[in-house]
Amino acid sequence: MTNNEPMVWAEGVMKSFGSLQVLKGIDLVVDRGQVVCLIGPSGSGKSTFLRCINNLETIDGGWLSVDGELVGYNREGDCLIELREKEAAARRAHIGMVFQHFNLFAHKTALKNVMEGPVAVRRMKKDAARDLAMDLLDRVGLKDKADVFPNRLSGGQQQRVAIARALAMEPKLILFDEPTSALDPELVGEVLQVMRDLAKGGMTMVVVTHEMAFAREVADTVVFMDGGVVVEQGSPKEVLSAPKMARTQDFLQSVG
């Protein structure tokens, strides 16, 4: 592997749930330091594809690699051998994931939520993990909320804690699955600002989003998905301002 290899490389990725084929051959390349925004209607396969990148879903066809390593498999000659769960989890630890509904531990403070991964997975000493967590809470503007439990935080604050928690694992890649869709409109901006700062800092990010203004401002590449396929991809200017495909044009008109 060289640093010229993409951070994410998908070729012909397919995924079905029973008789429903959700992904029908997805090709995508995400270079290091890029921000890629996935847009499209509900049910188009965006979130499923994100979960496949993180090996939370196993793919049925094609292949995926992150940082030069196959997702979910090792290659032995011409054969792909499925990873054991312990190996899969070790690889997954290098990929941050920020969910729509925060998924914080309700019984732990903001500080303890951020400390959990470094202590439990990275085996970091608690003092070092506490220092790291405080630095990250400060980075997302929540140092003063370190000892507060999630139910006393706004949705935007909870999502910022979730981003700090993902950063605590020192990921090479962060996946965001509609991180603002569960938030009240007035709280969206504070989360998007943290994400803008991450992008400026060179973090590789794949973001499923319905925030077209954010995609226009921050994305290097916008990918429009529908019906389990990539319909169109290109720069924000190409896809959002001058889409070539009628399906993309219809979708953008529908979201204003």
Side-chain angles (χ1 to χ4, degrees):
M1 184 199 71
T2 70
N3 282 336
N4 292 326
E5 191 157 349
M7 180 60 76
V8 179
W9 194 348
E11 287 279 351
V13 170
M14 292 187 280
K15 175 65 183 178
S16 295
F17 295 102
S19 60
L20 178 64
Q21 189 174 10
V22 178
L23 301 178
K24 301 175 182 176
I26 301 294
D27 297 335
L28 183 68
V29 171
V30 182
D31 289 326
R32 296 165 193 276
Q34 268 199 324
V35 177
V36 173
C37 285
L38 306 181
I39 65 171
S42 297
S44 59
K46 307 181 302 295
S47 293
T48 297
F49 180 61
L50 213 64
R51 291 173 65 84
C52 289
I53 295 174
N54 207 16
N55 200 26
L56 293 172
E57 301 286 356
T58 56
I59 64 176
D60 301 322
W63 57 267
L64 259 169
S65 71
V66 172
D67 198 21
E69 292 186 314
L70 285 174
V71 174
Y73 297 89
N74 278 326
R75 188 182 299 278
E76 296 184 9
D78 293 330
C79 297
L80 294 180
I81 308 299
E82 190 168 353
L83 294 178
R84 295 175 180 172
E85 179 52 37
K86 187 175 181 180
E87 295 174 285
R91 291 190 185 178
R92 193 181 297 128
H94 298 290
I95 304 172
M97 183 97 179
V98 177
F99 298 91
Q100 181 176 345
H101 292 293
F102 325 134
N103 290 7
L104 298 178
F105 295 112
H107 64 290
K108 293 180 183 289
T109 63
L111 178 67
K112 292 289 182 63
N113 264 281
V114 180
M115 288 175 60
E116 178 72 16
V119 171
V121 179
R122 295 175 58 196
R123 305 299 180 193
M124 186 180 286
K125 291 184 177 179
K126 285 189 176 180
D127 286 348
R130 182 175 285 105
D131 289 344
L132 172 64
M134 287 300 293
D135 285 346
L136 290 170
L137 288 173
D138 189 27
R139 185 173 172 183
V140 299
L142 291 173
K143 191 173 185 177
D144 61 330
K145 302 293 185 182
D147 296 324
V148 178
F149 288 90
N151 67 350
R152 305 300 296 176
L153 298 172
S154 71
Q157 289 170 336
Q158 289 185 62
Q159 194 61 292
R160 285 187 281 155
V161 172
I163 294 172
R165 181 181 60 181
L167 290 171
M169 295 300 288
E170 297 186 348
K172 57 186 76 171
L173 164 71
I174 300 186
L175 309 174
F176 292 87
D177 190 4
E178 301 213 29
T180 61
S181 64
L183 301 179
D184 292 333
E186 68 269 20
L187 302 177
V188 169
E190 63 192 50
V191 174
L192 294 181
Q193 187 55 52
V194 171
M195 294 171 66
R196 286 187 192 96
D197 292 342
L198 288 176
K200 288 175 186 173
M203 176 62 71
T204 309
M205 298 158 55
V206 182
V207 184
V208 173
T209 186
H210 61 282
E211 299 286 346
M212 297 302 146
F214 174 81
R216 190 183 304 275
E217 176 190 351
V218 177
D220 298 292
T221 300
V222 174
V223 178
F224 173 64
M225 290 178 60
D226 188 29
V229 300
V230 172
V231 175
E232 188 165 357
Q233 64 178 296
S235 70
K237 186 175 181 180
E238 290 169 333
V239 176
L240 300 179
S241 299
K244 295 182 177 66
M245 306 300 290
R247 182 66 190 91
T248 315
Q249 295 166 12
D250 291 344
F251 171 75
L252 292 172
Q253 286 179 349
S254 73
V255 297

